[in-house]
Amino acid sequence: MSAATRKEWKEAIIEYSKELKLPAIRKYLEEYVQEACQRDACYEEFLAQLLQKECDARREASRYNRIRLAQFTHKKYLEDLSIKDLPEDAQKKLKILKTLDFLREGRNVILAGSPGTGKTHVAIGLGIKACMEGYKVWFTTVPLLINRIKECRAEQTLRAFQNRFEKYDLVIADEMGYISFDKEGSELLFTHLSLRAGRKSTIITTNLSFERWGEIFQDPVMTAAMIDRLTHQSYIINMNGNSYRMKETKEWLQKQQLA
């Protein structure tokens, strides 16, 4: 085949890849052609490897989009956790949570304990791992969630929001207990979390023990019902312990002094 004919075929492949939206094939075509020629690879091998590159690129783009759409406030990975500095109960149960079996089973995870012990880090780390494995995740704080629900109701878009909320494989509701709610907020939160109960997983982080949840819901009947719904067949992690965040701050200050 002449050089001119080869060039024409490559140009045609580039055009087809544009029309079919195959950017990785367009990007790596020349590299793979040269490699195939050097190794005298068969046509089937060359085509399979080029298509595999396109598939890999799409999977990576999908992972990136799922993480972006999850709206994490920070990128916190499980690999960055200092396991030995986590509360004892978290050390024991983290291995189970990492399997993401709780997602496949539709179980909730409640991380309850004192501030700074790694609750949000663990929650986001599990959320990012879920995104990487193909699950649809959404991260929010509880106060922001309640405000969002109120806004949707005022704008008459509540049904659309509820449909999206129900379909997430995992919702992470951070900071339960930092701010108390009015009666309307409590009822809306209860209603929406109940939509997912027993079907889809929710991770909740809270600095309050269950005995103190009445302080934020201000209704003993609703408080009891909320605890019952959320804790049924859930993983409850005791996060009381030394401040993980304070330890990191002290280490950072020490480094500044040595610099």
Side-chain angles (χ1 to χ4, degrees), residues 118-204:
K119 297 186 296 295
T120 299
H121 191 146
V122 171
I124 291 178
L126 290 170
I128 289 179
K129 182 176 176 62
C131 288
M132 297 291 283
E133 295 193 16
Y135 292 98
K136 189 177 180 183
V137 180
W138 186 47
F139 175 92
T140 184
T141 65
V142 171
L144 284 176
L145 173 59
I146 291 175
N147 287 338
R148 178 74 175 278
I149 297 170
K150 287 182 177 181
E151 288 172 0
C152 289
R153 188 167 70 172
E155 296 168 1
Q156 297 184 341
T157 58
L158 188 57
R159 173 54 61 186
F161 175 79
Q162 288 176 339
N163 289 336
R164 292 196 306 274
F165 190 74
E166 284 186 77
K167 290 176 182 177
Y168 286 113
D169 298 303
L170 174 63
V171 167
I172 301 173
D174 198 29
E175 298 182 355
M176 171 87 83
Y178 286 85
I179 299 175
S180 59
F181 323 127
D182 57 21
K183 187 173 187 296
E184 178 192 16
S186 298
E187 291 173 351
L188 289 171
L189 182 64
F190 174 78
T191 299
H192 282 72
L193 292 181
S194 295
L195 291 173
R196 301 176 53 80
R199 298 187 303 105
K200 298 285 189 176
S201 296
T202 303
I203 295 179
I204 291 176

Side-chain angles (χ1 to χ4, degrees), residues 19-74:
E19 186 172 343
L20 295 172
K21 296 181 173 58
L22 302 171
I25 287 180
R26 187 164 66 252
K27 180 178 180 181
Y28 294 102
L29 175 64
E30 186 61 37
E31 176 187 332
Y32 275 57
V33 166
Q34 291 181 9
E35 184 181 324
C37 289
Q38 289 171 2
R39 295 191 298 104
D40 195 24
C42 65
Y43 297 122
E44 292 86 351
E45 179 185 356
F46 163 73
L47 180 58
Q49 289 184 340
L50 196 56
L51 289 173
Q52 181 183 4
K53 194 70 176 180
E54 183 68 48
C55 287
D56 290 344
R58 289 196 175 194
R59 290 191 191 102
E60 187 60 32
S62 294
R63 292 188 190 105
Y64 171 80
N65 284 331
R66 283 192 295 271
I67 291 173
R68 179 178 59 83
L69 293 171
Q71 300 180 5
F72 297 113
T73 51
H74 301 87

Side-chain angles (χ1 to χ4, degrees), residues 76-86 90 94 98 117-123 125-126 239 244 248:
K76 294 179 179 288
Y77 300 91
L78 294 176
E79 293 77 12
D80 297 333
L81 281 168
S82 175
I83 305 299
K84 63 182 177 62
D85 292 318
L86 289 173
L94 189 58
K98 282 181 178 179
T117 54
K119 297 186 296 295
T120 299
H121 191 146
V122 171
L126 290 170
M239 295 294 290
Y244 188 93
E248 289 183 336

Side-chain angles (χ1 to χ4, degrees), residues 102-120:
F102 73 92
L103 267 177
R104 288 179 275 275
E105 296 165 357
R107 296 173 184 256
N108 295 334
V109 175
I110 300 177
L111 299 155
S114 45
T117 54
K119 297 186 296 295
T120 299

